[in-house]
Amino acid sequence: MSFRKRSVGLSTGTDRPPASNLPAQPQRAVQQPPPTPGVRPSPDDGRPTTSTGSPSLDNLLAGHGGLPIGKTLLVEENGTTDFAGALLRYYAAEGVVQDQKVHVIGMPEQWGRTLPGLIGTAEAADQKSDKRKGERMKIAWRYERLGEFGAGVAGARAPAATSGDQSSSDGSLDKQAAFCHAFDLTKRLTHPSIGNITYVPIVPTNEPLLVSIQKRLQVNIASSPPHTVHRIVIPSFLNPTLYPPEVSEPENVLPFLHSLRALASSSTSRITAMITIPLSLFPRSSGLVRWMEILSDGVIELCPFPHSSDALSTSGAATSHEEPPQGMLKTHRLPVLHERGGGSDQNIGQDWAFTLSRKKFEIKPFSLPPAEGDKEAQDQASSGKMPKKEDLEF
């Protein structure tokens, strides 16, 4: 069989109009949802994060600068004190100020009337405290006009705003950008949104108690508008003075925590939760508490010091101007998602101390006082003065 070569040209087909002649299709504008007050991206992985109401606790949570949306925090406390209750009040007060929905389980309305009073933003409170601690250090007069550290060249060369611009723009921007606020425990919170707190009472029903609480939470969250941030507050969980004895059985507690975690991790809701439990009644060595820790995204433990003069005098206050800490804070677990690679657990195992003064609750690194034989260090610690540079030996 022979093949014959045929000179058949390829057809060029129909002429296509150039791209410039094609009618331009209108592009749809992507409408981004408005920013939610009190929610910002995590500096670590961009996850939506809300504040706990305590800046020192926000800095402790795996580098997120707050509690990520969809996560739960379990606060354990030893002894008969109520330091964890102060953290819960900060957490609830921050939600009220940010116009978020707060759900309080097992407490009457009187509990909401004891929320700490609002002072202002946390950044403004820190600046005031820094000015009170010491005088402002000036390197040279010409450096005062430069921008803040990290602001870049644009921040240093930006023209100064006039008083009219500040009054019109800065006021609204500060209110929108406020992520965490400062509160005073000696005052009481007065806010229009304080009446929006939902109280879920502990009332015996035909069905198990925790099942009825779970259903009420689901109904309240489903009936709220979309994009609403919810805060679930559970003070003194399983305390016999609030809950009946049969509630503390594992077959009742663990399904409730499973359902709470599933509700918080739902893609259609924006929920965070904070739970406190007394370790004097439910020690960490029990299997129930260990399972509660596994089902929680973050676990911290408050270990108060014994109430004695010796313990207070040997506590880790850096200077005489600082208040001595009232206990140790242990981080057992932090909200870290290893499969996403977000967050870090570097604060686990570190020595932290907490101080509950008359006005505020603060977490800071723990440092031991000078040894008994070192009189010079004791005198410097009591006077609050640092040694001179020429006196240091290397």
Side-chain angles (χ1 to χ4, degrees):
M1 184 177 180
S2 61
F3 295 93
R4 183 181 296 177
K5 184 178 180 180
R6 297 180 180 180
S7 58
V8 179
L10 296 177
S11 61
T12 57
T14 58
D15 296 336
R16 296 182 180 179
S20 59
N21 297 332
L22 292 176
Q25 297 181 357
Q27 297 181 357
R28 296 181 180 179
V30 180
Q31 296 182 355
Q32 297 181 356
T36 306
V39 177
R40 70 180 182 187
S42 168
D44 188 80
D45 56 1
R47 199 181 319 175
T49 305
T50 186
S51 174
T52 60
S54 174
S56 56
L57 181 59
D58 290 344
N59 297 332
L60 208 66
L61 297 177
H64 297 296
L67 185 61
I69 297 294
K71 302 303 174 183
T72 59
L73 180 63
L74 178 64
V75 183
E76 305 171 341
E77 183 172 359
N78 288 289
T80 58
T81 55
D82 192 24
F83 293 109
L87 285 178
L88 283 184
R89 287 178 173 85
Y90 275 114
Y91 177 69
E94 183 67 31
V96 171
V97 173
Q98 299 288 2
D99 293 330
Q100 300 174 358
K101 195 67 176 178
V102 181
H103 308 269
V104 181
I105 297 178
M107 288 296 175
E109 295 184 4
Q110 183 64 27
W111 188 87
R113 299 172 187 171
T114 61
L115 297 181
L118 177 64
I119 301 177
T121 61
E123 295 179 356
D126 292 340
Q127 292 177 0
K128 291 181 180 179
S129 62
D130 292 340
K131 291 181 180 179
R132 292 175 182 176
K133 287 181 181 179
E135 297 180 355
R136 182 181 177 183
M137 184 178 64
K138 297 182 179 179
I139 301 176
W141 63 271
R142 56 182 179 179
Y143 294 145
E144 294 182 2
R145 297 184 180 180
L146 295 179
E148 296 182 356
F149 177 77
V153 180
R157 297 180 179 178
T162 60
S163 59
D165 297 338
Q166 291 179 355
S167 60
S168 61
S169 61
D170 292 350
S172 60
L173 290 176
D174 291 342
K175 293 181 180 179
Q176 294 178 0
F179 176 74
C180 183
H181 294 80
F183 300 94
D184 190 349
L185 294 173
T186 60
K187 302 178 181 179
R188 293 294 171 259
L189 181 63
T190 56
H191 196 272
S193 300
I194 198 170
N196 297 332
I197 300 179
T198 303
Y199 298 93
V200 181
I202 300 177
V203 180
T205 57
N206 297 330
E207 55 186 356
L209 178 61
L210 296 181
V211 175
S212 63
I213 292 176
Q214 171 198 350
K215 291 182 178 179
R216 289 200 59 179
L217 285 176
Q218 290 178 348
V219 170
N220 294 334
I221 294 173
S223 60
S224 60
H227 304 293
T228 302
V229 181
H230 300 267
R231 296 188 179 218
I232 301 176
V233 184
I234 308 180
S236 299
F237 188 49
L238 305 181
N239 194 326
T241 60
L242 300 175
Y243 297 86
E246 62 271 10
V247 176
S248 59
E249 297 295 331
E251 57 267 18
N252 295 325
V253 178
L254 299 184
F256 173 73
L257 294 180
H258 270 288
S259 62
L260 183 63
R261 187 169 187 176
L263 184 64
S265 60
S266 175
S267 58
T268 59
S269 57
R270 311 175 77 178
I271 302 172
T272 58
M274 185 179 291
I275 309 171
T276 63
I277 182 173
L279 291 183
S280 57
L281 302 176
F282 304 94
R284 292 192 68 234
S285 58
S286 62
L288 176 63
V289 177
R290 288 305 179 97
W291 271 107
M292 292 178 63
E293 293 180 355
I294 293 175
L295 295 175
S296 302
D297 299 294
V299 181
I300 62 175
E301 180 184 357
L302 302 179
C303 303
F305 292 141
H307 293 281
S308 62
S309 58
D310 296 337
L312 293 178
S313 62
T314 59
S315 57
T319 63
S320 60
H321 301 285
E322 296 183 3
E323 296 185 4
Q326 296 173 333
M328 297 289 295
L329 186 142
K330 301 179 181 179
T331 54
H332 299 297
R333 192 174 185 183
L334 295 176
V336 178
L337 289 183
H338 293 284
E339 62 270 16
R340 289 185 180 181
S344 63
D345 53 357
Q346 60 181 359
N347 290 330
I348 295 180
Q350 299 293 329
D351 294 333
W352 298 95
F354 64 90
T355 302
L356 179 61
S357 61
R358 193 171 59 92
K359 293 186 177 182
K360 65 179 181 178
F361 185 98
E362 187 179 6
I363 301 172
K364 56 185 179 180
F366 180 76
S367 58
L368 292 175
E372 295 182 359
D374 194 354
K375 295 182 179 180
E376 295 182 0
Q378 291 179 356
D379 295 339
Q380 293 173 358
S382 60
S383 61
K385 297 180 180 180
M386 297 298 292
K388 296 181 182 179
K389 184 176 180 181
E390 55 269 14
D391 296 338
L392 297 176
E393 297 180 0
F394 294 95

